[in-house]
Amino acid sequence: MTLRHLQKLFKLYPKLILSFLIVLTPVYAISLMMNNYAERNVQDKIEESMKSSVNFYIRQLESDFNRIIRMQEEFVNDRDVGLLSGAGEIFNDFDWRNAVINTRSRLTSLRNLNSYVREASIYLPSEKRLISSAAAYGQLSEVEYDLLKSASRQVGNPFVYGDDRLYVSFPFSNLALINGREPRFLVSAEIDGTAVGDVLDTMKIDGNGGAFVVGHDENWLLHGKTSSTDFMHAIMDSLQLSRAEGEKVLRIDGQTYWVNIEKSQKLGFSLIMYMPETQMLGALKQFRVWFWVLSVISVLIIIVFSYWIFLQIHQPLRRLIQAFRGLENGTPDKELVYKRSDEFGYLYQQYNHSVSRIKELIHEVYEQQYRANLSELRQLQSQINPHFLYNNFFILYRMAKNEENDNIARFTSYLGKYFQFITRTQKGQISLAEETAFSQTYVDIQSFRFEDRIIARFAELPEHYANVEVPKLILQPIIENVYHHGLSNTLEGGLLEVRFKEEGNKLFIIVEDNGEEMQQADYDELQHKLQASSGWSNVETTGVINVHRRLRLEFGEEGGVVFNRRPGGGNQVILCIPLVQEHADKIAISEKGRESIHV
């Protein structure tokens, strides 16, 4: 059974599947839209939560750092700091010691009142000393002093960073370091990165993601314990921090992150919070995966269920349709078997009864048609046998009068072969080799009559076609028409050519001449007769029509004769002989054998 037949037989099954899919597609579409809506809604809520969290914490950090700055600024009005920074030479030892103790006490209060301060110190440039919450009196480090003093050159940024330490620095001077004047004193608070990191860790959502603080110059950052410095630098590189603010979506190391940035312009730092998308939308993503899994399972269930319906309803119907198609093509199937007593059982029973009756009628009609065809074929053959006998006696008379003994011998030999073929048997089927040899003999006979006017070229029949069975007298009548009609008025230069050609499972015998071109009216009438599928009883039964009808009777619609007019003059007759599969296989094997021998 060909693929085309299978497609026809199973065309109901795909339609059944498609119907179920069409019904369920709106349900799938609505479910997917609901999932997308929920995903967008959750995403908006999480983004809003991140934004609120970042806004809250940056305000808290600003508040805490501003409190540190205000406490540093309060040292401007402190009497002890003023005396220590400007009039230390008039102090006695007791007053000096009390001023140092009081100042250290205030620095300790600054450290204790803010959890972000690790150490608070006051630098006294005039004395080249420092007072800190850890030590009452210490040596002033020039490197550290220069670093902390640089805060006066930073607008809107009180932070200075050096030696892996972050400070909030307040250098005080009446002239604010104009003209290179040194500050009277410098208050610094070293920021405890661990304390800030602990606060940043509380910004995680369900323990996922993280947050960090980074200066606008990107030379310092504070982060929690679980955050990776390399990862945070990757975020900053992707953000282009100087222009970034608000919500961003970044792709880092093959993973998507949601990032929220908020800047503190007053204090010169940014708070950045990040969250992996998989953690934020993990449940929704998992729901989408299960949605597609459910969709695939539903499709499989539809296919299986449709197949079950197909087996119960459509398969019996398909078998019945297939049986009717076989009946339509003239090849009814065997008796249909159906074990159930339902509607299909009744249809199968009626079909079997109808086929049985049709077979009986076909057998009766076939026998009648066979007898009629056989009788008609014998009648057609008998009309051809005496067709050109009359002129042969005149040719013998002429040669005998001229004493052409050799030609008489050859001519009578040809005539003997010709009439031996005609009278040898009454069978209607002969081999193509016999038909070709007989036609060649006919051409040899006609060559005596038209030797100065017509040249005949008769191609050699390919060996592997020699045993092809054909009706008797199919080629000779065509050649006879060439002599009697196409070349009858040719005085010289006439040409008759017979050749063989194979295409697919058909053999074509081509007979061509360069004689007179058939008149248009005669040509149209001949084409009408050749194309007529019925009504032959009222048309001529000799020549081209005779052969065409006999080939049709023998080979069906694929056999027959094609008549063409050649451009420039002359006619072409093509005999089409379908090869039965058995003979086509023998020819293919024969050709393959010759190819292997040639190689």
Side-chain angles (χ1 to χ4, degrees), residues 46-47 49-51 53-54 57 197 200-214 221-236 238-239 246-253 255-262 270-280:
I46 294 176
E47 288 179 349
S49 175
M50 288 182 63
K51 183 178 180 180
S53 179
V54 170
Y57 279 102
L200 295 175
D201 282 340
T202 62
M203 296 178 64
K204 294 181 179 181
I205 301 176
D206 295 331
N208 299 307
F212 61 93
V213 177
V214 59
L221 61 84
L222 301 175
H223 58 85
K225 298 177 182 178
T226 59
S227 300
S228 167
T229 304
D230 293 338
F231 177 73
M232 288 183 289
H233 280 294
I235 291 179
M236 289 188 290
S238 301
L239 283 174
E247 297 83 11
K248 303 290 181 182
V249 178
L250 303 179
R251 187 79 176 173
I252 301 175
D253 296 333
Q255 189 171 0
T256 302
Y257 292 87
W258 291 5
V259 180
N260 196 289
I261 312 105
E262 188 159 348
S270 298
L271 176 59
I272 301 174
M273 182 179 181
Y274 62 90
M275 176 68 67
E277 186 181 58
T278 54
Q279 299 297 330
M280 299 177 69

Side-chain angles (χ1 to χ4, degrees), residues 108-345:
T108 302
S109 298
L110 172 61
R111 183 192 65 184
N112 293 335
L113 289 175
N114 197 304
S115 61
Y116 296 155
V117 178
R118 176 180 293 164
E119 189 68 48
S121 303
I122 290 183
Y123 292 82
L124 303 173
S126 60
E127 299 295 326
K128 294 186 178 181
R129 296 284 182 176
L130 66 84
I131 301 172
S132 69
S133 58
Y137 211 54
Q139 188 70 33
L140 176 64
S141 168
E142 291 294 333
V143 175
E144 187 175 359
Y145 172 66
D146 291 337
L147 173 67
L148 296 175
K149 184 175 63 174
S150 65
S152 63
R153 298 189 295 271
Q154 301 176 171
V155 180
N157 187 356
F159 295 95
V160 292
Y161 179 78
D163 195 23
D164 292 332
R165 301 167 74 183
L166 181 66
Y167 301 90
V168 175
S169 177
F170 174 70
F172 173 74
S173 172
N174 291 333
L175 299 177
L177 300 180
I178 297 176
N179 297 326
R181 298 288 296 273
E182 295 294 324
R184 286 179 56 190
F185 63 88
L186 190 151
V187 184
S188 70
E190 182 184 352
I191 302 302
D192 188 352
T194 302
V196 177
D198 291 340
V199 174
L200 295 175
D201 282 340
T202 62
M203 296 178 64
K204 294 181 179 181
I205 301 176
D206 295 331
N208 299 307
F212 61 93
V213 177
V214 59
H216 287 173
D217 52 7
E218 300 187 28
N219 64 344
W220 63 271
L221 61 84
L222 301 175
H223 58 85
K225 298 177 182 178
T226 59
S227 300
S228 167
T229 304
D230 293 338
F231 177 73
M232 288 183 289
H233 280 294
I235 291 179
M236 289 188 290
D237 292 341
S238 301
L239 283 174
Q240 297 182 347
L241 191 59
S242 61
R243 298 190 300 271
E245 192 168 9
E247 297 83 11
K248 303 290 181 182
V249 178
L250 303 179
R251 187 79 176 173
I252 301 175
D253 296 333
Q255 189 171 0
T256 302
Y257 292 87
W258 291 5
V259 180
N260 196 289
I261 312 105
E262 188 159 348
K263 295 183 177 181
S264 174
Q265 300 294 345
K266 181 178 179 181
L267 297 181
F269 70 86
S270 298
L271 176 59
I272 301 174
M273 182 179 181
Y274 62 90
M275 176 68 67
E277 186 181 58
T278 54
Q279 299 297 330
M280 299 177 69
L281 303 177
L284 291 175
K285 296 290 185 183
Q286 191 67 24
F287 178 79
R288 175 172 290 188
V289 171
W290 280 110
F291 169 79
W292 290 114
V293 170
L294 178 62
S295 300
V296 172
I297 293 176
S298 300
V299 171
L300 293 177
I301 292 175
I302 289 173
I303 293 174
V304 174
F305 182 66
S306 300
Y307 185 71
W308 180 81
I309 295 179
F310 177 78
L311 292 178
Q312 299 299 316
I313 299 176
H314 294 107
Q315 190 178 36
L317 182 60
R318 176 182 59 83
R319 289 184 58 196
L320 189 61
I321 293 173
Q322 183 179 2
F324 274 109
R325 284 177 177 163
L327 184 62
E328 180 183 359
N329 296 328
T331 56
D333 292 339
K334 297 180 180 179
E335 182 178 354
L336 293 178
V337 178
Y338 191 76
K339 298 180 179 179
R340 299 181 182 178
S341 300
D342 53 15
E343 289 80 0
F344 284 110

Side-chain angles (χ1 to χ4, degrees), residues 580-599:
V580 297
Q581 188 61 40
E582 179 181 359
H583 196 82
D585 293 341
K586 291 181 180 179
I587 291 175
I589 295 172
S590 175
E591 290 179 346
K592 186 176 180 181
R594 285 199 304 275
E595 289 177 0
S596 62
I597 293 172
H598 178 70
V599 173

Side-chain angles (χ1 to χ4, degrees), residues 351-392:
Y351 170 81
N352 293 333
H353 177 74
S354 299
V355 168
S356 177
R357 180 57 184 159
I358 289 173
K359 286 182 177 179
E360 293 177 3
L361 296 175
I362 289 175
H363 182 70
E364 293 176 1
V365 172
Y366 176 77
E367 287 186 350
Q368 294 176 0
Q369 187 68 29
Y370 175 76
R371 294 190 186 98
N373 289 344
L374 183 60
S375 174
E376 184 178 13
L377 182 59
R378 289 176 178 175
Q379 180 183 1
L380 291 173
Q381 287 183 344
S382 66
Q383 292 176 359
I384 294 174
N385 291 334
H387 191 70
F388 83 123
L389 180 62
Y390 312 112
N391 293 324
N392 292 333

Side-chain angles (χ1 to χ4, degrees), residues 468-487:
V468 175
E469 292 287 326
V470 296
K472 185 178 179 181
L473 292 174
I474 59 170
L475 180 56
Q476 183 271 342
I478 304 300
I479 297 174
E480 183 178 359
N481 275 351
V482 174
Y483 282 108
H484 287 182
H485 300 288
L487 299 174

Side-chain angles (χ1 to χ4, degrees), residues 435-473:
E435 178 66 22
T436 305
F438 171 71
S439 300
Q440 177 70 63
T441 299
Y442 177 79
V443 170
D444 291 337
I445 292 173
Q446 292 288 33
S447 295
F448 279 92
R449 180 182 177 186
F450 302 102
E451 58 183 346
D452 297 330
R453 296 162 52 189
I454 300 173
I455 298 175
R457 296 176 183 172
F458 207 111
E460 185 177 352
L461 176 68
E463 245 182 76
H464 47 275
Y465 295 126
N467 295 325
V468 175
E469 292 287 326
V470 296
K472 185 178 179 181
L473 292 174

